[in-house]
Amino acid sequence: MELISKDNIVSLSNPGVVSRQLLNPENSTSERVTITEVHLEPGASQPRHTHNASEQIWYALQGTGKLLLADDAEQEFSAGDVVRFADHDVHGLRNDGDGTFVYLSVTAPPINFGYAYQEKR
């Protein structure tokens, strides 16, 4: 068994975006999954990107936004929705709602996302 204390959960941030690293290679010995809780303020976005060797599942917990997909496509994504991105799928997110957008992300195999954020606390 492995318990991750709230004191060992690091937050990574970019302007308008906070990613709480609930379970990742820095606080867990898991070799199978990374779990993050991501908060986007109204108007904030995560740019389109891909993961070469990991799939990712997002579960929207709060708010409404737009998935940013390949070929400049966009799709509504709101609380209660689940989306899965396979390896190499283009994905990103823009919060176009009035409140904070929150989603849970599960990535397998795990990724240390520190490279994608400007601040760590």
Side-chain angles (χ1 to χ4, degrees):
M1 192 209 77
E2 184 175 43
L3 172 69
I4 309 302
S5 165
K6 63 183 171 237
D7 298 331
N8 290 324
I9 296 174
V10 170
S11 290
L12 304 174
S13 62
N14 285 330
V17 180
V18 174
S19 179
R20 297 184 68 235
Q21 305 299 291
L22 304 180
L23 186 127
N24 71 16
E26 290 187 8
N27 69 2
S28 171
T29 58
S30 176
E31 297 178 1
R32 296 186 182 188
V33 67
T34 295
I35 302 174
T36 57
E37 178 187 275
V38 184
H39 298 244
L40 285 87
E41 295 303 317
S45 66
Q46 294 177 304
R48 287 175 172 88
H49 62 282
T50 63
H51 303 291
N52 293 333
S54 292
E55 71 175 318
Q56 205 165 52
I57 298 163
W58 292 356
Y59 173 49
L61 298 169
Q62 174 184 316
T64 299
K66 290 278 189 320
L67 294 170
L68 306 176
L69 306 171
D71 302 319
D72 292 323
E74 296 184 357
Q75 185 169 336
E76 188 82 14
F77 186 52
S78 60
D81 291 342
V82 177
V83 63
R84 177 187 167 271
F85 305 105
D87 302 14
H88 305 286
D89 279 353
V90 174
H91 60 286
L93 181 68
R94 181 178 64 249
N95 180 356
D96 60 359
D98 295 332
T100 302
F101 187 95
V102 180
Y103 71 91
L104 193 66
S105 174
V106 178
T107 307
I111 295 176
N112 184 331
F113 290 108
Y115 73 90
Y117 290 88
Q118 296 172 6
E119 293 184 34
K120 178 179 179 178
R121 45 189 158 105

